[in-house]
């Protein structure tokens, strides 16, 4: 009986070898990417709007001169230098291969959150301000939002326009009731992923 058991093992081994030979695949390189359901990294950048004014105010405080004004050349240099620095940081993140989200808020304000409509855009036109608490909420929600993966976007408060209806600066992509809690997914769906 013991010999019969050994024969069964030999037959099983032969079957496995035969099966392995039938499905053998020679691969020189296999690359697998995980399904990116959430960003690995969320970078809080900035739009660049108001950077020179913020630097001017900071210098005025440091010099104890509340009415300090930068020259136009200083202001232009400050804006350009800030944009160059933030772009280099964003490009470095994109090159890592991590799933990321880049949030670029307009100039920050210390105001209560949730009281104004948010505008999400990718055109670089954002110049309006936004509250720090609303920015924090967007960043935290982005951490767990599949639609935020590999996207960069600007966010600011909606500006009430004096233009006639239909000629507003931004296109309304989502309108949510005050009871709705997930505003980020519908706001990010129409935005393009970075390449």
């Amino acid at each position: 009986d013991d010999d019969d058991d050994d024969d069964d093992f030999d037959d099983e081994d032969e079957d496995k070898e035969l099966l392995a030979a039938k499905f053998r695949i020679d691969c020189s390189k296999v690359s697998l990417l995980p399904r990116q359901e959430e960003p690995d990294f969320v970078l809080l950048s900035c739009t660049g709007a108001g950077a020179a004014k913020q630097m001017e105010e900071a210098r005025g405080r440091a010099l104890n001169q509340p009415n300090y004004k930068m020259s136009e050349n200083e202001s232009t240099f400050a804006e350009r230098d800030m944009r160059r620095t933030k772009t280099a940081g964003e490009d470095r993140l994109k090159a890592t291969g991590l799933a990321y989200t880049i949030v670029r808020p307009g100039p920050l304000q210390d105001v209560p959150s949730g009281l104004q409509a948010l505008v999400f855009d990718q055109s670089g036109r954002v110049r309006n301000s936004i509250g720090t608490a609303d920015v924090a909420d967007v960043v935290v929600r982005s951490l767990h939002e599949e639609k935020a993966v590999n996207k960069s976007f600007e966010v600011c408060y909606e500006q009430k326009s004096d233009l006639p209806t239909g000629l507003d600066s931004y296109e309304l992509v989502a309108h949510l009731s005050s009871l709705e809690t997930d505003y980020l997914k519908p706001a990010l769906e129409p935005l393009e992923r970075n390449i």
Side-chain angles (χ1 to χ4, degrees):
D1 284 331
D2 288 336
D3 290 336
D4 289 340
D5 288 340
D6 288 339
D7 288 340
D8 287 342
F9 284 122
D10 289 340
D11 289 342
E12 285 179 30
D13 289 340
E14 286 176 23
D15 289 343
K16 287 180 186 175
E17 288 177 10
L18 196 70
L19 189 60
K22 287 182 181 177
F23 292 100
R24 190 172 140 207
I25 300 173
D26 291 327
C27 295
S28 59
K29 181 180 177 183
V30 175
S31 178
L32 299 174
L33 294 174
R35 184 168 173 234
Q36 296 297 330
E37 294 182 5
E38 297 177 344
D40 297 317
F41 194 94
V42 177
L43 174 66
L44 180 59
S45 187
C46 66
T47 61
K53 182 174 173 50
Q54 290 174 346
M55 288 176 152
E56 186 175 76
E57 290 171 358
R59 280 190 190 165
R61 284 191 303 272
L63 297 171
N64 202 20
Q65 297 175 4
N67 296 327
Y68 176 82
K69 297 288 180 204
M70 289 193 322
S71 70
E72 193 169 324
N73 285 343
E74 283 180 303
S75 179
T76 301
F77 177 76
E79 293 270 348
R80 186 177 56 231
D81 188 48
M82 191 278 311
R83 277 194 299 274
R84 187 179 306 131
T85 302
K86 85 171 179 76
T87 301
E90 290 178 8
D91 289 346
R92 181 169 265 172
L93 174 60
K94 291 175 186 178
T96 64
L98 293 172
Y100 64 87
T101 301
I102 299 172
V103 180
R104 299 183 191 117
L108 300 175
Q109 294 181 325
D110 190 17
V111 295
S113 68
L115 301 178
Q116 296 185 50
L118 299 178
V119 172
F120 294 83
D121 195 51
Q122 289 180 313
S123 68
R125 300 177 297 171
V126 166
R127 296 284 179 252
N128 299 339
S129 62
I130 184 169
T132 54
D134 285 316
V135 172
D137 189 60
V138 169
V139 167
V140 170
R141 288 172 185 266
S142 294
L143 286 167
H144 302 290
E145 179 52 61
E146 184 177 358
K147 297 293 182 188
V149 173
N150 294 341
K151 288 188 180 179
S152 355
F153 56 88
E154 295 92 33
V155 61
C156 68
Y157 287 140
E158 178 182 36
Q159 181 176 358
K160 300 300 180 199
S161 175
D162 294 335
L163 297 172
T165 304
L167 298 178
D168 293 334
S169 301
Y170 301 104
E171 174 186 359
L172 179 65
V173 294
H175 178 78
L176 305 172
S177 72
S178 60
L179 300 177
E180 182 66 49
T181 59
D182 183 17
Y183 64 83
L184 194 61
K185 185 175 184 173
L188 297 183
E189 276 181 322
L191 300 182
E192 294 182 16
R193 283 183 179 234
N194 298 324
I195 298 173

